[in-house]
Amino acid sequence: MGKIALLFAMFFLPAVVFASAPVAPIAPLAPVSKELKKQLLGTPVYIQIFKEERTLELYGKIGTEYRLLDSYRICNFSGGLGPKRRQGDFKSPEGFYSVGLSQLKPDSRFYRAINTGFPNDYDRQQGYEGKYLMIHGSCVSIGCYAMTDANIDDIYHYVEAALRNGQPRVAVSIYPFRMTDSNLQRHRYSVYYSFWQQLQPGYAEFVKNHQPPAMGVSGGKYVLNGSLLNSTPANQSALALSEAK
């Protein structure tokens, strides 16, 4: 009996070890070809930002899914990881935002600018304050996401074309890092950990379905499958953009 049990254990041990192995991280996606990217000008777009990687990703809709059009290096952002909470803390925002035509500023003193819409509904419920939080050019940041002029020109071009071609709003998801279990575990002692847990379902939704996550706010927390966040009303956005940069 002892020999039979030993043989049984040896036979099934590899399967048990394999099943408990951690899931490998998802490899970064390759962007579409430059030729296809050019043809997709005017298609609906979606933006993801990852602070730790200093990366902005621009996605375009092909058929029913959003595919990576291009990935851009962020020249500068300020304040480190974590959400923006108050005016003057020099933090760049994190969370789920959306952009309409009134939030575009083609003649910014930082070349071109896209107002992220901070504060959104979540931010306001937390009492967070700030204004003029942009994605812009010139590589200079005090709370904004600064790009090279060439990169913001490209991003701005696709966002504007999508909005003028009928996309009501462009969703912008801003994360501290790629919201994998391993990355969250790495930051488990951060004071922002519980906030980052709220962001993870949005990240996972896009990884799974290749659709911008529909995020809402309930009980002062981000929730998946809520209505797409509307940030500052259009008339206020236009005023903010006319005064900023």
Side-chain angles (χ1 to χ4, degrees):
M1 280 296 291
K3 291 182 178 179
I4 294 173
L6 179 61
L7 288 171
F8 183 85
M10 291 175 66
F11 179 80
F12 283 101
L13 181 58
V16 172
V17 172
F18 178 79
S20 61
V23 177
I26 297 173
L29 298 173
V32 300
S33 68
K34 291 182 179 179
E35 292 74 17
L36 180 55
K37 179 185 171 184
K38 290 178 182 177
Q39 295 173 25
L40 291 171
L41 183 65
T43 195
V45 295
Y46 168 56
I47 290 173
Q48 287 190 136
I49 290 175
F50 301 100
K51 277 185 176 179
E52 197 170 58
E53 293 183 13
R54 302 176 74 95
T55 298
L56 184 151
E57 294 179 340
L58 176 68
Y59 291 82
K61 192 173 185 180
I62 302 177
T64 59
E65 296 185 347
Y66 282 75
R67 297 268 304 279
L68 183 64
L69 299 184
D70 219 330
S71 182
Y72 307 87
R73 174 77 173 173
I74 296 171
C75 278
N76 219 334
F77 71 89
S78 59
L81 303 185
K84 182 172 185 64
R85 291 176 167 175
R86 65 184 184 278
Q87 183 74 16
D89 65 4
F90 304 115
K91 299 276 285 186
S92 301
E94 294 174 11
F96 301 99
Y97 300 89
S98 69
V99 172
L101 269 173
S102 65
Q103 290 162 255
L104 305 185
K105 186 166 180 63
D107 57 348
S108 164
R109 65 187 178 96
F110 294 109
Y111 186 55
R112 298 190 192 281
I114 300 171
N115 190 330
T116 62
F118 179 94
N120 62 20
D121 290 345
Y122 172 86
D123 300 320
R124 285 191 288 270
Q125 288 188 27
Q126 304 303 312
Y128 296 167
E129 297 179 342
K131 53 186 177 179
Y132 315 143
L133 279 302
M134 309 279 185
I135 303 167
H136 61 60
S138 297
C139 274
V140 178
S141 171
I142 305 177
C144 297
Y145 290 99
M147 319 296 295
T148 65
D149 288 354
N151 282 350
I152 190 60
D153 200 40
D154 199 45
I155 297 161
Y156 188 100
H157 196 41
Y158 276 83
V159 170
E160 182 182 40
L163 292 170
R164 293 197 183 281
N165 203 37
Q167 184 175 2
R169 303 188 70 81
V170 172
V172 180
S173 300
I174 307 177
Y175 302 107
F177 39 77
R178 295 189 188 273
M179 308 301 292
T180 62
D181 289 340
S182 59
N183 277 340
L184 274 174
Q185 179 69 8
R186 182 163 56 89
H187 291 280
R188 64 189 179 278
Y189 297 120
S190 170
V191 295
Y192 306 120
Y193 181 73
S194 61
F195 168 69
W196 290 338
Q197 285 181 305
Q198 298 175 45
L199 306 186
Q200 190 183 38
Y203 172 84
E205 173 72 9
F206 185 72
V207 169
K208 179 181 178 182
N209 296 320
H210 308 291
Q211 298 288 334
M215 302 298 296
V217 181
S218 178
K221 294 183 178 182
Y222 281 118
V223 292
L224 184 62
N225 295 328
S227 299
L228 183 64
L229 291 176
N230 289 321
S231 51
T232 313
N235 60 336
Q236 293 184 24
S237 296
L239 176 60
L241 282 168
S242 68
E243 296 176 350
K245 299 178 174 56

